[in-house]
Amino acid sequence: MLRVDDNFDGGNIEVIDISLEKVSLNIKKDSKSDEKQWFYFRATGIKNIRCNFEIANASTVSYPEAWPTCSIVASYDRKSWFRVPTSYNGETLSFNLQAERDIAYFALFEPYSYERHLDLISWSLTQDNCTLLSYCETLEQNQIELLQIGTRSNDKKNIWIIARQHPAETMAEWFIEGLLKKILSGTSLQNKALLDAATFYIVPSMNPDGAIAGNLRTNGAGIDLNRSWLNPNKLTAPESHFVFEQMKSIGVDLFLDIHGDEDIPYAFIAGSEGNPSYTKELALLDTFFRAQFNKATPDFCVENGYKANLPGAGDLRIACNQVGEYFNCLSLTIEMPFTDNKYQPNKIEGWNAQRSMALGAVVLTPIRNILPKLTKTKNSDCTQIN
Ligand code: ZN
């Protein structure tokens, strides 16, 4: 007998109708908001059946424009994920699989579980150079960890990197895992040079409530955290409130906010050129960083994914803009694709966890190269906080 369910961490699907020929499904909206697009479910009892799945409410999701080029992922063991041919007729999203095993999982992108998140935090803290600087509790009593890599000094630049404000953008936490593994394992001269010149402050997952609930964009109060930074509300957006207050105590000389974009088929950067206080110097730094990133890997593209904001028109509710404006520092959003990099396509796996981790490791190269060009911001000091 065929069964479909989402009763696990990050799961999201609603069964409308089920038969051996066709399974009709809906994507659930976020737990406290109307956003929806993420799905992740398992199908049991499908071995040797050509099972056709149909997402009936696909046209009503937050970004339906992403569907025509979308290719969803499946897995038998939740470790190895492969692309499944997917089609969209303007109303429903369809895919099918001739399953080789009794159970198969399907998702919009390779998931990143809360268990894996806990493993990543614990592993990081067993490595030299990594400490838990601070943490905050979310509305659902989960925890956000702020990791400090390296020692603090007035001579060093403060680099802040946060990920997964939008919980469905799991590639962002894969990116952080790649970065942490690269900077914490190994005693390369490059790592030493980096940590002699900079201290890293890293939040691997900004939105565990949304991630566990299987949300697309919002937290436990239905807030899109990346629209909450103008004046983060401690009660409804404790996640961004916590991180922004920590930033004010420590200072920020470079900020990277890691995301995924459902529609645009390559990894790119969105800058903060619309900020009221944006300068020519910041524009030059932005261009330099992108060029160095692209030189380091063909999986990062210098092509602009979003139309640049007009001067002064930047939305200061967005983390990248608010942090750049407040600290007068280089502040960038890094976006990765859900399906593939159209310039370096891989038909079987597309863009996946491995490539996200590789991008996270290689981002240390443009960071290292830009460090001498960054100036310390006015709020940057080495006062220890509790
Ligand atoms: Zn995002």
Side-chain angles (χ1 to χ4, degrees):
M1 199 180 101
L2 191 57
R3 178 176 191 266
V4 169
D5 80 287
D6 67 350
N7 294 331
F8 45 84
D9 170 12
N12 179 320
I13 209 68
E14 179 183 74
V15 177
I16 304 170
D17 191 41
I18 195 160
S19 73
L20 282 183
E21 293 78 40
K22 196 169 99 175
V23 178
S24 189
L25 306 163
N26 270 341
I27 297 175
K28 292 177 189 167
K29 61 183 192 176
D30 282 10
S31 48
K32 298 273 173 59
S33 96
D34 289 335
E35 300 278 3
K36 61 173 178 284
Q37 188 134 4
W38 170 256
F39 64 88
Y40 177 24
F41 64 89
R42 71 172 170 174
T44 304
I46 61 166
K47 191 174 180 179
N48 297 329
I49 298 170
R50 163 88 37 203
C51 203
N52 295 297
F53 297 92
E54 181 184 276
I55 307 267
N57 65 348
S59 67
T60 67
V61 302
S62 300
Y63 307 100
E65 64 273 19
W67 293 139
T69 54
C70 169
S71 170
I72 69 124
V73 293
S75 174
Y76 297 119
D77 61 4
R78 300 203 297 167
K79 290 188 174 68
S80 165
W81 292 83
F82 52 91
R83 295 280 161 181
V84 175
T86 306
S87 63
Y88 181 59
N89 64 7
E91 245 178 72
T92 59
L93 188 78
S94 304
F95 43 92
N96 65 66
L97 179 71
Q98 176 83 36
E100 297 167 8
R101 302 282 181 262
D102 289 318
I103 293 178
Y105 286 81
F106 299 85
L108 186 57
F109 190 80
E110 202 163 335
Y112 196 104
S113 72
Y114 192 60
E115 286 296 319
R116 192 174 184 103
H117 166 78
L118 299 180
D119 287 345
L120 178 64
I121 297 295
S122 296
W123 174 83
S124 300
L125 292 172
T126 62
Q127 305 301 304
D128 293 340
N129 295 323
C130 183
T131 52
L132 179 65
L133 177 61
S134 191
Y135 59 90
C136 110
E137 192 174 287
T138 66
L139 295 168
E140 306 281 349
Q141 287 81 50
N142 293 305
Q143 187 171 293
I144 292 177
E145 299 87 359
L146 169 57
L147 302 177
Q148 179 181 320
I149 315 286
T151 55
R152 222 185 287 177
S153 152
N154 271 334
D155 301 330
K156 295 185 184 181
K157 310 287 167 46
N158 292 318
I159 315 287
W160 284 78
I161 306 175
I162 69 170
R164 229 176 155 189
Q165 292 198 79
H166 296 141
E169 296 162 16
T170 54
M171 60 288 283
E173 194 161 5
W174 288 112
F175 177 104
I176 294 289
E177 181 172 323
L179 185 153
L180 286 171
K181 295 251 162 87
K182 178 78 176 176
I183 200 169
L184 291 174
S185 320
T187 50
S188 70
L189 287 176
Q190 287 182 333
N191 271 357
K192 186 176 179 317
L194 200 51
L195 294 179
D196 281 347
T199 315
F200 286 76
Y201 304 89
I202 297 180
V203 183
S205 177
M206 286 287 292
N207 193 348
D209 291 2
I212 292 167
N215 286 357
L216 176 71
R217 285 181 76 82
T218 56
N219 74 353
I223 298 292
D224 180 340
L225 291 176
N226 206 26
R227 298 295 182 275
S228 74
W229 285 74
L230 186 56
N231 190 13
N233 184 320
K234 195 176 179 180
L235 296 178
T236 58
E239 302 91 347
S240 45
H241 179 271
F242 161 70
V243 174
F244 200 22
E245 290 305 307
Q246 296 285 319
M247 287 175 162
K248 289 174 188 169
S249 301
I250 293 166
V252 183
D253 302 309
L254 168 65
F255 175 55
L256 303 178
D257 186 12
I258 317 301
H259 287 255
D261 185 282
E262 287 80 357
D263 188 26
I264 296 172
Y266 48 86
F268 64 96
I269 275 177
S272 45
E273 64 288 325
N275 279 353
S277 307
Y278 200 65
T279 60
K280 264 189 211 154
E281 289 72 26
L282 288 172
L284 288 172
L285 288 172
D286 180 320
T287 304
F288 179 81
F289 190 93
R290 293 182 202 220
Q292 292 291 311
F293 204 176
N294 177 251
K295 209 169 144 191
T297 173
D299 256 346
F300 175 77
C301 190
V302 287
E303 185 176 338
N304 267 328
Y306 302 142
K307 203 165 167 240
N309 284 134
L310 293 171
D315 183 345
L316 293 175
R317 300 173 308 156
I318 295 174
C320 165
N321 290 342
Q322 177 61 247
V323 173
E325 180 69 13
Y326 189 93
F327 295 98
N328 192 32
C329 67
L330 181 63
S331 186
L332 306 168
T333 304
I334 295 178
E335 299 276 358
M336 284 169 278
F338 271 74
T339 294
D340 209 349
N341 174 1
K342 71 175 179 181
Y343 299 110
Q344 302 278 329
N346 178 327
K347 284 216 155 43
I348 297 165
E349 295 176 348
W351 190 269
N352 62 3
Q354 207 60 40
R355 290 172 87 177
S356 307
M357 285 197 285
L359 199 69
V362 88
V363 79
L364 293 170
T365 301
I367 291 176
R368 190 168 52 244
N369 294 344
I370 206 167
L371 274 177
K373 295 176 178 288
L374 299 177
T375 48
K376 287 282 275 188
T377 62
K378 59 183 187 304
N379 296 293
S380 229
D381 64 49
C382 68
T383 317
Q384 198 74 32
I385 51 163
N386 295 313

